[in-house]
Each structure stands twice: as C-alpha cells, then as structure tokens.
Amino acid sequence: MTATYSNEPIFSAEAAQTALQSEDNQIRYYAAWWLGKHQVQESCTALCEALFDERYRIPSGGYPLRRQAARALGQLKNPQAVESLIKACNCDDFRLREAAIQALAAIGDKRAINPLLEMMQSNQKQPYEALIEAFATLEVDAADSLIRPYLNDSSERIQCAAARYFYLMTQQPQYLQRILKYLNHENMYVRWAAVFDLGAVARYQAVEAILNATVPSSLKLLNLKRILETLIDSNTPEKETSQIVFQAIDNLLIQL
C-alpha cells in the first residue's frame, strides 16, 4: 500500500517518518533533512532504505534523496547504518559517495576502514578530500603511503586535507603550517576548507588562526565549536585552550 502525506508542515518525528514515504520528492528530501537535524534514532532503518531509492533521480544522474539520507545518517551517528553506507559507496553518484564517506567518518566505526582503503586504491575517481578526512578522523595509519602524494595534489583543498591527516597523525608543525598558508588564499572556498581543516585540530594555534581568518563569523563559530567539543571529549583536555575558545565564541556571538 502506498503511504500518503497531507503536505502539512513537519513538526514531529512521526510526521517526518511518514513524509519520507511521500510521493513528492521534495517533501521526502525535507523529511530526511528533518530526521537528521533532530537526530531521530528510530528513523535509522528508513533512512538506510532511502540510501537506495530509485524514484528521485535528477537528469545529470544524481540521487538527491540518497545524498540527504547519507548526511542524515551521519548526524544520527548510529552504527547500525555502517553496512548500508558502505554499500552506498559503490553507487555511481559521486556526491552520494562523498556524503556516505563523510557519514562513515562521523559514525567512527572501524568497520569502514578496509572498504575506504579499497576505494582509495581503486581506479575509479573518488572524492579524495572526503576520503582523506575520513582517514584522519578514523586515525588510519595504514593510509599513510596512499595519502602522501596528495600533499602535492593540484587541488589546494585536497592538499589541506592531506596536511590535516599528517598533522593529526604526527603532530609535526610543518603540516599545520601547510594549512595555515591557505587562510590567505584568493579563493574563498579554499580559505573555508582550510578553516574546516583547522576545526579538526584542537590546538591553540588553530584557534588563533581561525579568529584571524578572512571568513564569515558563522564559519568561525562552527569550527571553534568543533574544537571545543574535541577538547571537552579529550581524556586530557587543555583547560587553558578551552577557556580561550569559550571567550572567543562569546566575543563572536556579541558581534553577530
């Protein structure tokens, strides 16, 4: 039986899960976003099913609902989604593969490591920036030799991701300096990428660099929050750096 939906605004988890079965693709897309935004854990199975939806496909060949379902699963951080996300990485939709990789990194389950290593070594073009960032998050030592060539990639964003990986794995300042130099890049998207890479580095130098970067305050706040969360979750939090981050966030909020 086909599920029906009345086009009423989504204000509850139940309404969002019902909307995910709508005949209207835009409503289904919004429902997937809502479920991820509100981290509705009971929607994990339905979102995993949406990863393989065939109804919503755009002329260029991509699957918008699948991509949004992957992003939502990354927000849920539910290990039950790992196998489905790994399977979704085999899709020919490049952006879906990127979203699925990012979701696997967010979940942090080690089952993703070998499939991601296989992707890195495949002959198919891959979302290398997302892959390298995932290896950094998952702390994959085995990716070292695979990532090293990307320190000199033609893409500055991929170079930043590689530098982020090696800094987090080695703590050698030369890799942090590689990221910092891109904060003054003429391309704002490269600057933004560098700030996001610094957001993964919970160090005082990263905080200071983010505050001085020529990027919107909203991006500064987002990445300072990421650093603060990392420091709080750390077994040996840097109290002085945490206090600096708290003060920086307060100052930015006043300016908004």
Side-chain angles (χ1 to χ4, degrees):
M1 187 174 80
T2 302
T4 59
Y5 183 67
S6 63
N7 291 343
E8 291 294 325
I10 295 174
F11 293 123
S12 69
E14 182 180 1
Q17 291 182 85
T18 300
L20 197 59
Q21 307 303 321
S22 169
E23 293 299 318
D24 187 314
N25 287 327
Q26 295 300 317
I27 289 174
R28 296 167 70 212
Y29 183 94
Y30 176 70
W33 174 86
W34 197 98
L35 292 166
K37 172 71 173 178
H38 296 276
Q39 298 182 331
V40 181
Q41 293 297 331
E42 57 266 32
S43 70
C44 183
T45 298
L47 288 169
C48 284
E49 292 173 355
L51 283 175
F52 308 101
D53 172 80
E54 291 289 348
R55 288 186 285 164
Y56 191 5
R57 189 171 191 177
I58 56 178
S60 61
Y63 293 92
L65 178 61
R66 292 187 185 187
R67 298 171 187 174
Q68 189 55 52
R71 297 185 194 105
L73 289 166
Q75 291 173 297
L76 264 58
K77 298 183 180 180
N78 191 324
Q80 294 179 15
V82 169
E83 291 186 7
S84 295
L85 286 165
I86 290 173
K87 186 177 178 181
C89 286
N90 294 321
C91 181
D92 59 3
D93 182 345
F94 187 88
R95 294 304 175 194
L96 171 58
R97 274 183 276 142
E98 180 180 53
I101 291 166
Q102 291 168 338
L104 288 167
I107 294 170
D109 194 299
K110 300 299 184 181
R111 287 175 292 168
I113 292 176
N114 285 337
L116 294 179
L117 285 170
E118 291 174 6
M119 289 180 71
M120 195 72 178
Q121 298 174 81
S122 74
N123 294 323
Q124 184 181 24
K125 182 182 178 182
Q126 301 290 359
Y128 294 111
E129 183 180 0
L131 271 172
I132 294 169
E133 289 173 352
F135 290 132
T137 301
L138 295 168
E139 300 180 343
V140 184
D141 291 331
D144 183 302
S145 61
L146 297 173
I147 295 174
R148 190 164 296 279
Y150 291 96
L151 286 169
N152 298 308
D153 193 82
S154 59
S155 166
E156 291 94 340
R157 292 176 58 121
I158 292 177
Q159 286 183 40
C160 275
R164 164 180 165 179
Y165 169 85
F166 283 107
Y167 180 72
L168 288 172
M169 299 303 290
T170 69
Q171 299 299 305
Q172 293 181 14
Q174 68 193 64
Y175 297 114
L176 182 59
Q177 291 302 318
R178 279 175 173 258
I179 302 172
L180 294 176
K181 74 177 184 178
Y182 286 117
L183 291 176
N184 296 317
H185 198 280
E186 61 182 10
N187 185 321
M188 68 176 180
Y189 295 110
V190 174
R191 297 199 301 272
W192 293 5
V195 167
F196 273 99
D197 285 318
L198 288 173
V201 178
R203 294 290 183 273
Y204 173 74
Q205 299 97 312
V207 175
E208 187 176 28
I210 289 172
L211 288 173
N212 294 325
T214 309
V215 299
S217 294
S218 58
L219 287 184
K220 294 181 182 182
L221 279 170
L222 174 60
N223 286 285
L224 289 174
K225 179 175 177 288
R226 292 173 65 206
I227 290 176
L228 185 60
E229 289 171 345
T230 300
L231 291 170
I232 291 173
D233 291 341
S234 173
N235 292 328
T236 56
E238 300 179 22
K239 292 184 179 180
E240 183 177 350
T241 303
S242 297
Q243 292 173 351
I244 292 171
V245 177
F246 271 121
Q247 186 61 56
I249 289 174
D250 285 342
N251 292 339
L252 283 171
L253 288 172
I254 292 172
Q255 296 172 25
L256 291 179

